[in-house]
Amino acid sequence: MDLTTLIDPTGRPRRFVITGGPSAGKEAIIDELHHRAIPATDGEPAREIYREHRERLGRHLQVGDRREYSREVLSAFVEEYTEHKHGLRFFNRGIPDGYGWDAFFGLGPYPELEEATRVYRYDGVFILDPLDDFESEDDLVFAKDREIRRVHELIVQGYYDAGYRPIFIPADDPSRRIDQILANVSAPTG
Amino acid sequence: MAQTTALPNAPLAPADTLRGLLRAGLPLPEQAQAGQLLELRGVIARAGRSGERASRIRALDSLLRWQLARFEHPRLAEPARLLFGAIRPAEGLTLTERREKAAAAAGYEVHHFRKRIEPEICQELARMLGADSEDLRSRAIPPVLGQARGPMRLPADVFAWEAAEHEESLSGLWSTVYALRAGLLATARLASMNGPDSGEAAQAARTALWHLALVLDAAAGYRAAYGPHLLGADPPTKPDHLALLAGWHPALQEDSESELASLAGRFATREDFLTNLDTCPASAAAEDWCRALAASTPPTNGETL
C-alpha cells in the first residue's frame, strides 16, 4: 500500500501512539516521520506545561504540585486527541502515559485519567524498546540506569492497565523502526 | 540414594504454576491460581495497587504478555504466544484449541507438545519472570557511574527531563552521604592518631556534624520533591536513613536533626554553619554528638598516642 493511501488524509481519524522510556529513541522516530511527511505530533505539549509550571513555581515540581501538573498534561493530550479529525496520525506519547508517569512518582491513577483513558481510545500503541547501544546518538546521561528502565516498564504497564496490547519495536535504525511501525498500522477502513 | 519428595502443602514451582495458568490462558481470570507468582517483585512493582490481589493479577497478566512478546527462543516463541492465547489467532480459544495451534506452529504432534514442549516453554517463561524480578531489585544504591563516551545529551522530552532531575536530586543526596562518610573516617583516624580528646579529633567531629546536617537538609529537599521514600527503592528507604550508610554515628533527637538541617540550609559554608551552631537550639545536642563521635573510636591498643 502506498503511503498516501495509508495516510488517507480525508478518511476517519486513526490515531497511533509512539511511546517508551526516555532513552528509547522516540525523538528520532518522530523526526523521521516528519521527514517522510507522515502526520505526527509536532513538539510535545507536555514540554511547555512543564516549563510553565517551573516558571510559575520558581522551582522544580514537588509532591504537592504533581497532581495538578498531571491534570494539565492530561488535558493537553486530550486536546491533541480531539483536534485530530481525519486520517492517520502518530502521537508522541498518549493519554495512558499518565499511568506510568504518576506511578513513577508513587501516585495512583486519578478519576480524570481513568475517564479519559476509557473515552479516548487509540487505534494502536507502539512501544519503543530502550536503545542499548552505547555508541548510538541517544547514548543518554543515564544510559542503562535502572531509573530509566523503571520509567519504561511503568509506561508499558500503564498501557496494559489501560487495556491496550502494545506492539514492541526493537532498538534499530530509526528508518527501519518506522518501516516496522508502518507494517503494523492497520489499513484505512473507510 | 535419598529421594526428595515435595511436601503436601509446598508451593508449586513457578513453572508448574504457569502450567496451571494455561487452562484459562490470557487474560488471566481474577480467580487465577497464580500462587507465588503474585509475590514476584516484578509483579508487585507494576501493580497499581499492590495491596490488592486483583491489581496484582492484572500486573501479572501484562507482565506475562510482555515476556511472551519478547520470548526469543528461535523455535518456541510463536508457539508460546499461541499456547497462552497472547496473540490474535489464539485469543479466547480453549486450551485444547490453543495447544493444537501451538503444536502446529512448533511442528510437533500435539501429545508430544503437551508432554515435552509445554514444560519447556513454562520453564523458560518462569526463568524470564525470575530474571525480570532480579533486574528490578533496587536497594538504596547510589546512581551508577560509568566512563562517559560523549557529552551528556537529553532528548527534548519531559520524561527525560524529570528522570534527569530526579537523578540530580539523588546524586546530590548521595554526595552528601559520601561527604559524611569522609568526615566520619577523618574523625576516626584523628581520634586514633591523636586521641579522642585532641583538638584535631574535635574539629573533625564538628566537620562531620556539618556533613550530617547537609545530608539531613538534602533529604528534606528530596522528601519535599518526591515523597517520604526514595523512588523505586526496594525495600522502601527514607532519604534521611541514607546517613546511616555513611558509617556509625551517634543518634540525634528528631527536633535536633530538624534544627541542624535548617541551619545547613541557611548557612552554606562550614564556617558559617559552625559559627551559628553555638546559638542554635540544638547546640548542646550537637556538642554531645561531636564528643560522642570522637570518643567512639579510641585506639584499639588502649594507649593514648
Side-chain angles (χ1 to χ4, degrees), chain A residues 3 7 31-40:
Chain A
L3 200 52
I7 293 172
D31 288 349
E32 179 68 16
L33 285 169
H34 287 143
H35 181 68
R36 294 195 197 184
I38 298 172

Side-chain angles (χ1 to χ4, degrees), chain A residues 47 54 135 146-147 157, chain B residues 62 141 149 156 165-166:
Chain A
R47 283 183 214 160
R54 283 192 67 115
E135 301 291 344
R146 64 202 157 94
E147 187 98 334
Q157 179 65 37
Chain B
S62 62
I141 51 175
R149 295 186 181 217
E165 192 166 47
H166 177 245

Side-chain angles (χ1 to χ4, degrees), chain A residues 26 47 50 54 60 62-63 66 69 93 101 129 135 137 140 146-147 149 153 157 160 165 168, chain B residues 46 62 65-66 70 132 135 138 141 149 153 156-158 161-162 165-167 224-225 227 232:
Chain A
K26 190 165 53 63
R47 283 183 214 160
Y50 180 77
R54 283 192 67 115
H60 62 76
Q62 297 199 338
V63 178
R66 201 154 281 288
Y69 169 69
R93 302 199 183 283
W101 202 235
D129 284 347
E135 301 291 344
E137 288 186 4
L140 291 184
R146 64 202 157 94
E147 187 98 334
R149 186 187 154 143
E153 296 193 350
Q157 179 65 37
Y160 277 121
R165 298 284 174 261
F168 295 93
Chain B
R46 288 176 173 86
S62 62
R65 287 179 191 279
W66 193 21
R70 55 189 54 236
D132 171 83
D135 282 355
S138 174
I141 51 175
R149 295 186 181 217
R153 278 186 301 192
D157 178 310
V158 174
W161 297 343
E162 289 222 71
E165 192 166 47
H166 177 245
E167 195 163 318

Side-chain angles (χ1 to χ4, degrees), chain A residues 25-101:
Chain A
K26 190 165 53 63
E27 290 306 304
I29 298 293
I30 299 292
D31 288 349
E32 179 68 16
L33 285 169
H34 287 143
H35 181 68
R36 294 195 197 184
I38 298 172
T41 301
D42 194 11
E44 190 180 344
R47 283 183 214 160
E48 281 317 304
I49 296 168
Y50 180 77
R51 287 193 182 109
E52 281 165 17
H53 244 88
R54 283 192 67 115
E55 203 168 310
R56 195 161 67 232
L57 296 168
R59 57 167 166 73
H60 62 76
L61 298 181
Q62 297 199 338
V63 178
D65 313 315
R66 201 154 281 288
R67 192 56 98 198
E68 186 196 341
Y69 169 69
S70 290
R71 285 195 169 93
E72 282 191 40
V73 172
L74 172 65
S75 72
F77 278 132
V78 169
E79 189 179 325
E80 189 190 8
Y81 181 102
T82 54
E83 278 179 357
H84 178 61
K85 307 287 188 196
H86 301 287
L88 176 72
R89 184 179 176 85
F90 288 98
F91 289 72
N92 184 350
R93 302 199 183 283
I95 290 165
D97 273 72
Y99 283 97
W101 202 235

Side-chain angles (χ1 to χ4, degrees), chain B residues 79-129:
Chain B
R81 294 191 267 270
L82 289 166
L83 181 63
F84 276 88
I87 51 176
R88 193 149 291 154
E91 278 177 4
L93 302 183
T94 65
L95 173 57
T96 306
E97 293 165 329
R98 280 183 272 126
R99 181 175 284 146
E100 282 170 3
K101 284 185 183 294
Y108 290 107
E109 184 274 327
V110 170
H111 294 294
H112 176 79
F113 184 85
R114 180 176 63 80
K115 277 189 166 178
R116 303 278 178 229
I117 308 302
E118 279 183 21
E120 197 181 326
I121 288 174
C122 290
Q123 202 69 49
E124 173 60 11
L125 195 53
R127 187 199 63 74
M128 292 171 75
L129 292 176

